[in-house]
Amino acid sequence: QATASDPNSLVLVCYGAGTKLTVASPRYAWNPFNHKWEWSTPQNTTQGFSSDVQIELYGDHGRIHLGKSLVPPIHSGGDNGWWDIENLSVSPTQITGTYRLNGMNKPRFSVDRRTGRIDVQAVTRFTGQCDQGDWAKGTPRF
């Protein structure tokens, strides 16, 4: 796990919003052309949500923790909500990587180190703003 005293570690706490696909349940609806009640057809829609993401980097590997809205119903379980980061790349300007939620869902993420913006690209899309989690210094932020 990453610690603030380790110079090769970094903890990011990110907050933001995203969209995900949902399916509206079928229901009775009035059909004005047939002048009767009929079952409506289920439709795919998108739904907005807010969530958080935490990233811990230590040495040349790391892990990511997702808010519940970012975890699909069918997933590998992770480790208490944490997934190992694969294909991790850390440069002075960007952090990128992937993680496997299940056999068919391997989201990619990128963090712009200059702006703090995070973008998670998966079936569920998420963008947000990251802060460095450096609580060991004990200095108040505000």
Side-chain angles (χ1 to χ4, degrees):
Q1 292 183 356
T3 62
S5 60
D6 181 356
N8 295 320
S9 71
L10 178 64
V11 176
L12 299 176
V13 179
C14 312
Y15 300 96
T19 57
K20 60 182 173 181
L21 285 174
T22 60
V23 178
S25 300
R27 60 181 177 84
Y28 271 113
W30 178 254
N31 184 331
F33 301 106
N34 293 338
H35 304 287
K36 65 179 183 176
W37 290 93
E38 297 177 344
W39 276 106
S40 66
T41 307
Q43 296 178 353
N44 291 336
T45 60
T46 57
Q47 178 182 9
F49 64 90
S50 59
S51 190
D52 66 292
V53 171
Q54 296 177 47
I55 297 174
E56 288 185 355
L57 304 177
Y58 36 101
D60 61 352
H61 56 285
R63 63 187 191 156
I64 187 168
H65 188 274
L66 307 170
K68 291 182 181 181
S69 298
L70 290 165
V71 180
I74 299 174
H75 57 84
S76 66
D79 181 13
N80 291 318
W82 291 91
W83 279 266
D84 289 333
I85 296 174
E86 302 170 0
N87 306 311
L88 177 63
S89 174
V90 179
S91 76
T93 59
Q94 192 171 9
I95 300 168
T96 61
T98 60
Y99 54 96
R100 183 176 300 282
L101 287 171
N102 57 42
M104 298 186 64
N105 194 353
K106 191 173 182 180
R108 294 183 318 233
F109 74 90
S110 64
V111 178
D112 185 322
R113 296 184 78 174
R114 295 166 293 196
T115 64
R117 181 178 169 86
I118 184 171
D119 186 29
V120 178
Q121 300 166 10
V123 174
T124 300
R125 185 79 187 244
F126 174 83
T127 57
Q129 194 67 31
C130 298
D131 289 321
Q132 185 172 350
D134 196 0
W135 302 279
K137 289 182 181 176
T139 55
R141 181 173 176 182
F142 301 102

